[in-house]
Every structure is written in C-alpha cells, then in structure tokens.
C-alpha cells in the first residue's frame, strides 16, 4: 500500500517547468504544473528530500483540507470543525500565512485572524486551554489559500523560504535571490561541463549556486532547519538517511568557476559566503573590473551574471551596457554569455543580437534573461566551417 500524499511546491513565475523537471528527476509522481507552483505526490521521505534538494522551490506545502466558503462565518465554522489535535498540541505554537484572491475575502490578515480564532476556540472548548501564536518561530506553520470561494488548508513543511540556503551571511546592495540564481543557471543550460565565469559576482550567490549544480550538492544542505523537523511525525532517522543518500550522489567537478568584482568589499563577502558553503576548493574570486578583462581559459566558457541595475545602483546605463557588449566582442571568444536585466530599453546599447530572450521576474521587476553567443573567430567563419564539414 502506498504512503504517498499530495504536496505543492511553490516557485517563481516562469520556473514551473524547471521545477517539474527537478521533481521528476528526484522521483516524484503525478507532477502537474500550475502558476508559480507544481503539485506532486510522494511519501514522507520524499517530502524531506524535496526540501533538501530542490533548487527552484520556495516552499513545500502539504494540503490537509479543502472546502468552499461563503463568508467569514462559514470560514470560521469549517476551520473550527477540523481536528487540529492531529497536527498541534496545546503546548505548541502556531502561525498562519494567508493568500487571498477573492471578491468575498479581500484582506489576508483578517482571514488569518479569523482562522486563528477558530483554532484557538476549538482547543479552548475541548481542552480548557489553548496553543499560543508565534509568528517568528512556530512549531506549526499553517498555510491558507482562498481563490474565489475555494479554501485550501496546508501545512508548511519548509518554514523560512527555501531561498535561504544558510550559506549567505554577507550581502551587497542588490543581492540576487538564491532560487532565482539557481533557476537562471538551469535555464542557461549550465551543467558543470565547462569553465564558468560570473564577471560581476557581488556576494557570490551565482558562483555558489553554479558550484552546487556542477557538483550535484543538495541545494539546502547548509540550511539550519526545516519546519517539518518540529512536526509530531518527524522521523529523524529517515531524514538522516535522506541526507546521506543525497550526499552520496555528489560528483567531482574538473573545470574552473571564477568570479570577478571590482569592489573589495564584494570580494570579501563572496569569499566569506563561499567558505560558509564549503566550496572554496571549487571557486576563485578576484578583484577585477570586467571591462578591463579578457578570457583567460581555454575551451568553451559559460558566463552568467546579474549586472547592477538603475533602481538601486546609480550607473550610466548607455555606457554600461555598451561596455558589456564591447568587452564580450573583443575579449571573450568561445563564450556563451547570459545575463538578467530589468532595464529592457538598455539592451539595445549592448550592440549585439541576443540569441535567446526569456521573460523572468527579479523580485517584482519584469526582466529578461538574455544570451549572447560569442564565437571563436567571426560568425561568418563559423558557418563556413560548418558547411565544409
């Protein structure tokens, strides 16, 4: 008899296909893509593995109940009717996160408050006492999602967002989210089969995620903990087996991962974070201005970076993007160069035609992940050589 149950992995817009592929590769069944989420089935051990290993998931939630709701009184009544002792005791704490997309329910905080009242009242009426609310570090985090009149109640197995990998203690002005960095790398086709360069590495997130992908290191191996570790059915021995099994699947990496930044403070932060991730053997960081560099490695080079953007950093966009194009043209033959930008008009200043443009979001900013293929010799020569083969 199968012990599988349904789960939902939340992700960023545009990452649904990446996440479903990750889930299938891990061994999930009944994988179905939604919008900013992918549902799937697995057992308790798979829930642990999904939290530990998925690179493009923000949270893994476990649906426990769903029903239709007419109004706030109906919501209270139906949440009150649930058997909360299956998940929570009076001595434990809980918190509620709510998302609403409904004409009837318009305030997520009000829905959270009403739901909290229902749970607390149920315990008080049956036990004479009640569990407390702890917003920061609860024993149980409950997720409520209302779409129109459909209400889904889930348990949050992750806790803090899974982009909080645990290695990044130092950041710069505009750090890139770890899940976003990993997703961009996977979209770019990075697989660890060549040298890698992030020429504007900031605090080293892209470098660290690139090394973890190259070595097949579980994304959240450095994380301090997951919400499921506080659940009453937590199986510590099973979780240790999942960790050991995942670590046995790591692989060696035989190329170079290099980061440049012209700011000494950024280089120091990147080195600290890379050390926290135990990846100093794989990554080199140097203080360099990308616009004064050229390719130093033989063979193909995979480049992926997050250039500074005007919303947070004061730069001359026209000169800056023009310099990116000039540097790639003059100094980086044999390179697949990818970068993300939210400044879409500035792309015309690069002076190169991108071979790919993928719509993504960097936080709330609509952005593009663009690819520039820099050939060895001229493009014309490349096609002539292909014709002769």
């Amino acid at each position: 008899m199968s012990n599988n149950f349904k789960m939902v992995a939340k992700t960023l817009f545009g990452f649904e296909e990446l996440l479903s592929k990750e889930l299938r590769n891990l061994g999930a069944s009944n994988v179905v893509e939604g919008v900013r989420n992918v549902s799937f089935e697995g057992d308790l051990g798979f829930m642990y593995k999904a939290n530990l290993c998925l690179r493009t998931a923000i949270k893994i939630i476990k649906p426990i109940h769903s029903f239709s709701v007419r109004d706030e009184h109906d919501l209270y009544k139906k949440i009150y009717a649930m058997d909360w002792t299956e998940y929570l005791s009076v001595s434990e704490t809980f918190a509620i996160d709510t998302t609403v997309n409904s004409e009837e329910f318009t305030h997520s905080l009000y829905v959270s408050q009403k739901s909290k009242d229902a749970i607390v009242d149920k315990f008080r009426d049956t036990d004479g006492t009640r569990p407390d609310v702890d917003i920061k570090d609860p024993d149980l985090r409950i997720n409520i999602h209302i779409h129109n009149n459909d209400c889904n109640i889930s348990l949050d197995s992750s806790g803090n967002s899974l982009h909080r990998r645990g290695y990044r203690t130092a950041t710069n002005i505009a750090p890139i989210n770890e899940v976003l960095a990993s997703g961009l790398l996977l979209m770019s086709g990075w697989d660890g089969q060549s040298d890698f360069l992030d020429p504007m590495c900031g605090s080293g997130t892209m470098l660290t995620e690139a090394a973890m992908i190259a070595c097949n290191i579980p994304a959240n191996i450095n994380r301090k903990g997951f919400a499921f570790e506080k659940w009453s059915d937590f199986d510590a021995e099973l979780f240790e087996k999942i960790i050991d099994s995942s670590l046995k699947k790591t692989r060696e990496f035989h190329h170079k991962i290099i980061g440049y930044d012209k700011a000494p403070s950024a280089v120091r932060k990147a080195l600290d974070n890379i050390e926290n991730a135990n990846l100093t053997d794989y990554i080199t960081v140097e203080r360099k201005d990308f616009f004064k560099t050229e390719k130093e490695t033989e063979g193909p080079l995979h480049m992926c970076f997050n250039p500074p953007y005007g919303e947070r950093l004061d730069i001359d966009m026209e000169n800056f993007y023009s310099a990116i194009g000039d540097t790639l043209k003059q100094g980086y033959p044999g390179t697949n160069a990818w970068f993300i930008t939210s400044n879409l008009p500035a792309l015309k200043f690069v002076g190169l035609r991108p071979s790919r443009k993928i719509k993504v979001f960097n936080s709330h900013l609509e952005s593009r992940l663009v690819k520039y293929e820099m050939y060895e010799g001229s493009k014309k020569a490349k096609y002539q050589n292909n014709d002769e083969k």
Side-chain angles (χ1 to χ4, degrees):
M1 182 178 163
S2 170
N3 292 318
N4 284 4
F5 51 88
K6 181 181 175 180
M7 289 170 268
V8 177
K10 296 186 174 185
T11 190
L12 303 174
F13 176 85
F15 282 15
E16 298 89 352
E17 189 178 341
L18 289 174
L19 179 54
S20 65
K21 184 178 178 183
E22 279 198 274
L23 280 161
R24 288 189 181 93
N25 288 343
L26 274 184
S29 57
N30 292 338
V31 178
V32 179
E33 291 176 30
V35 177
R36 292 190 178 88
N37 68 74
V38 179
S39 65
F40 62 98
E41 291 180 7
D43 60 11
L44 190 66
F46 192 85
M47 185 180 75
Y48 299 165
K49 185 160 69 167
N51 275 284
L52 182 70
C53 297
L54 289 174
R55 303 185 192 283
T56 57
I58 295 170
K59 273 187 185 294
I60 311 295
I61 60 172
K62 178 185 178 182
I64 56 170
H65 202 40
S66 60
F67 44 81
S68 60
V69 280
R70 294 188 305 275
D71 52 35
E72 61 182 80
H73 304 294
D74 196 29
L75 175 72
Y76 176 94
K77 186 176 72 175
K78 286 175 176 172
I79 289 182
Y80 183 95
M82 291 175 62
D83 181 9
W84 287 101
T85 58
E86 193 177 335
Y87 315 106
L88 187 66
S89 72
V90 291
S91 61
E92 292 176 319
T93 59
F94 73 101
I96 298 174
D97 298 319
T98 300
T99 308
V100 293
N101 182 7
S102 167
E103 288 182 8
E104 179 65 40
F105 301 93
T106 55
H107 297 289
S108 58
L109 284 176
Y110 182 72
V111 170
S112 294
Q113 184 66 37
K114 203 74 183 168
S115 304
K116 184 268 293 181
D117 291 345
I119 294 169
V120 164
D121 290 350
K122 178 68 173 285
F123 273 99
R124 193 185 279 122
D125 292 347
T126 53
D127 288 20
T129 184
R130 50 155 285 184
D132 288 327
V133 171
D134 181 348
I135 294 168
K136 286 188 176 177
D137 189 28
D139 294 307
L140 186 72
R141 191 170 284 279
I142 300 160
N143 186 285
I144 297 178
H145 183 269
I146 298 178
H147 180 73
N148 296 328
N149 294 100
D150 297 323
C151 180
N152 291 291
I153 314 288
S154 304
L155 305 183
D156 179 350
S157 74
S158 305
N160 285 331
S161 168
L162 293 175
H163 84 271
R164 296 185 178 177
R165 308 281 205 227
Y167 62 77
R168 195 165 78 178
T169 54
T171 61
N172 295 310
I173 299 169
I176 191 169
N177 172 309
E178 291 90 328
V179 165
L180 177 59
S182 201
L184 297 178
L185 287 162
L186 293 171
M187 277 184 176
S188 78
W190 170 244
D191 58 4
Q193 299 304 304
S194 68
D195 292 329
F196 179 91
L197 173 66
D198 179 348
M200 301 178 189
C201 71
S203 54
T205 305
M206 197 78 79
L207 297 171
T208 306
E209 296 295 323
M212 292 178 89
I213 291 169
C215 300
N216 200 34
I217 295 167
N220 288 299
I221 195 67
N222 298 298
R223 201 175 145 103
K224 299 234 173 0
F226 301 93
F228 62 71
E229 293 179 67
K230 292 186 174 184
W231 290 7
S232 58
D233 66 350
F234 176 56
D235 187 335
E237 189 178 339
L238 176 61
F239 186 36
E240 282 301 317
K241 282 181 183 172
I242 296 292
I243 293 171
D244 290 344
S245 170
S246 299
L247 288 173
K248 280 176 185 165
K249 291 171 184 164
T250 59
R251 56 182 174 242
E252 270 307 308
F253 174 66
H254 303 290
H255 301 278
K256 295 177 181 176
I257 295 178
I258 303 161
Y260 298 154
D261 205 286
K262 65 179 186 180
S265 60
V267 172
R268 283 196 301 273
K269 288 170 185 174
L271 290 170
D272 285 347
N273 292 334
I274 290 159
E275 186 176 355
N276 292 339
N278 302 304
L279 293 169
T280 49
D281 289 350
Y282 300 99
I283 304 169
T284 304
V285 183
E286 302 173 49
R287 184 189 173 194
K288 282 187 178 179
D289 180 346
F290 171 53
F291 302 145
K292 297 174 183 173
T293 67
E294 55 186 31
K295 187 180 173 193
E296 295 181 351
T297 57
E298 294 293 322
L301 177 66
H302 194 102
M303 187 186 292
C304 194
F305 60 108
N306 174 37
Y309 51 98
E311 184 164 288
R312 296 194 199 175
L313 299 172
D314 185 23
I315 54 178
D316 180 333
M317 282 296 163
E318 183 171 345
N319 288 336
F320 183 79
Y321 279 82
S322 176
I324 288 177
D326 289 345
T327 306
L328 290 174
K329 266 186 290 195
Q330 293 160 20
Y332 284 87
T335 299
N336 281 332
W338 295 78
F339 68 83
I340 180 176
T341 182
S342 59
N343 192 325
L344 307 187
L347 284 174
K348 65 178 179 284
F349 300 123
V350 175
L352 298 168
R353 186 185 294 275
S355 57
R356 293 282 307 278
K357 267 189 188 181
I358 305 171
K359 180 180 174 181
V360 291
F361 281 84
N362 186 352
S363 185
H364 62 286
L365 298 170
E366 183 180 324
S367 306
R368 294 292 183 274
L369 176 65
V370 290
K371 178 187 184 184
Y372 297 95
E373 295 180 56
M374 311 311 300
Y375 299 102
E376 294 279 5
S378 72
K379 195 169 188 178
K380 184 179 176 185
K382 172 188 164 63
Y383 289 123
Q384 284 174 341
N385 290 339
N386 283 345
D387 290 342
E388 289 166 9
K389 286 177 184 175

